[in-house]
Amino acid sequence: MAEPADERDTLERLIAILGPRLDELRSLGEELTSRWRGDAIRVGEGSRRRVQDLAREVGLVTREEWDELELRVAQLEHRLRLLERD
């Protein structure tokens, strides 16, 4: 039967050998996670742009363009009411 001191020495040697490797592995995991997040954001932005371009090609308007048009119509209606009062 192994003595507790022998087990402790074996454990300490194992930690000494694997410790730096575990740090490298943890660092690699963090780097891969960071890259994955960045790629996911870029893919999402690229897809959105492609959908907007496709919508323009078929003659659809974006939500932003629609909101701008609504604002312009509201401004024209307001000006028209002011002119009608005079």
Side-chain angles (χ1 to χ4, degrees):
M1 184 170 204
E3 294 181 20
D6 290 339
E7 289 177 6
R8 194 176 312 126
D9 289 341
T10 304
L11 182 60
E12 288 176 3
R13 276 189 264 137
L14 185 62
I15 290 172
I17 292 170
L18 294 179
R21 299 283 185 201
L22 292 176
D23 289 339
E24 289 175 19
L25 188 59
R26 186 177 300 120
S27 176
L28 179 61
E30 290 172 359
E31 182 181 336
L32 290 175
T33 302
S34 176
R35 284 185 181 183
W36 178 81
R37 286 183 187 135
D39 290 346
I41 289 170
R42 280 190 294 278
V43 166
E45 290 172 352
S47 297
R48 189 182 76 189
R49 272 188 246 118
R50 283 190 289 275
V51 168
Q52 287 176 343
D53 291 344
L54 178 63
R56 282 193 190 98
E57 283 183 32
V58 297
L60 300 176
V61 296
T62 64
R63 180 67 181 174
E64 184 179 308
E65 292 168 335
W66 179 261
D67 290 343
E68 185 178 324
L69 183 60
E70 279 186 325
L71 177 62
R72 287 181 181 179
V73 169
Q75 290 171 340
L76 288 172
E77 288 174 340
H78 177 68
R79 290 177 185 162
L80 194 66
R81 279 193 293 274
L82 290 175
L83 288 173
E84 288 174 347
R85 288 184 192 165
D86 291 339

